[in-house]
């Protein structure tokens, strides 16, 4: 995948490269066509998400509707909510 057209806010992704390799994150913002901001509520917190190239991410099919709604709207989210949503996947 080379562009962000298939990625949406609230989507789960797995890091393919870097020191955070194999960790699950949630997309918090689409920056441009090559970069997104990701957070997991633990290593990368909502206050300081990581800017990552999408070619270093494996997109998972699931989207957290709760996080998508809150991030798209003006809802407040915290790191505990992000961690809880990632734990629901049962992959970490």
């Amino acid at each position: 995948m080379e562009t962000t057209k298939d990625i949406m806010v609230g989507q789960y992704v797995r890091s393919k490269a870097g020191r955070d390799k194999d960790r699950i994150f949630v997309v918090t913002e689409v920056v441009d066509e090559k970069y997104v901001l990701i957070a997991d509520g633990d290593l990368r917190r909502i206050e300081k998400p990581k800017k990552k190239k999408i070619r270093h991410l494996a997109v998972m099919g699931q989207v957290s509707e709760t996080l998508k709604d809150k991030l798209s709207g003006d809802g407040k989210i915290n790191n505990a909510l992000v961690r809880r949503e990632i734990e629901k996947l049962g992959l970490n």
Side-chain angles (χ1 to χ4, degrees), residues 58-88:
V59 177
M60 302 172 75
Q62 298 100 334
V63 176
S64 170
E65 293 299 327
T66 305
L67 292 176
K68 178 183 173 185
D69 294 341
K70 290 190 178 205
L71 287 167
S72 298
D74 193 26
K76 298 286 183 179
I77 63 171
N78 57 22
N79 294 304
L81 177 62
V82 175
R83 285 191 304 268
R84 214 172 317 134
E85 289 294 313
I86 291 173
E87 286 172 5
K88 284 182 185 178

Side-chain angles (χ1 to χ4, degrees), residues 22-92:
D22 293 329
R23 287 184 69 101
I24 306 268
F25 294 92
V26 174
V27 175
T28 60
E29 184 181 337
V30 177
V31 177
D32 58 23
E33 73 177 43
K34 293 195 183 260
Y35 289 95
V36 294
L37 295 179
I38 58 173
D40 66 354
D42 184 30
L43 181 68
R44 279 296 173 170
R45 303 181 70 74
I46 286 295
E47 300 84 31
K48 192 174 178 186
K50 179 166 181 65
K51 184 177 177 183
K52 194 134 175 126
K53 284 187 178 181
I54 57 156
R55 69 180 185 181
H56 295 154
L57 297 171
V59 177
M60 302 172 75
Q62 298 100 334
V63 176
S64 170
E65 293 299 327
T66 305
L67 292 176
K68 178 183 173 185
D69 294 341
K70 290 190 178 205
L71 287 167
S72 298
D74 193 26
K76 298 286 183 179
I77 63 171
N78 57 22
N79 294 304
L81 177 62
V82 175
R83 285 191 304 268
R84 214 172 317 134
E85 289 294 313
I86 291 173
E87 286 172 5
K88 284 182 185 178
L89 289 176
L91 299 175
N92 277 356

Side-chain angles (χ1 to χ4, degrees), residues 1-12:
M1 177 179 310
E2 295 295 322
T3 64
T4 57
K5 66 181 179 179
D6 298 328
I7 295 179
M8 64 178 66
V9 172
Q11 189 158 24
Y12 296 109

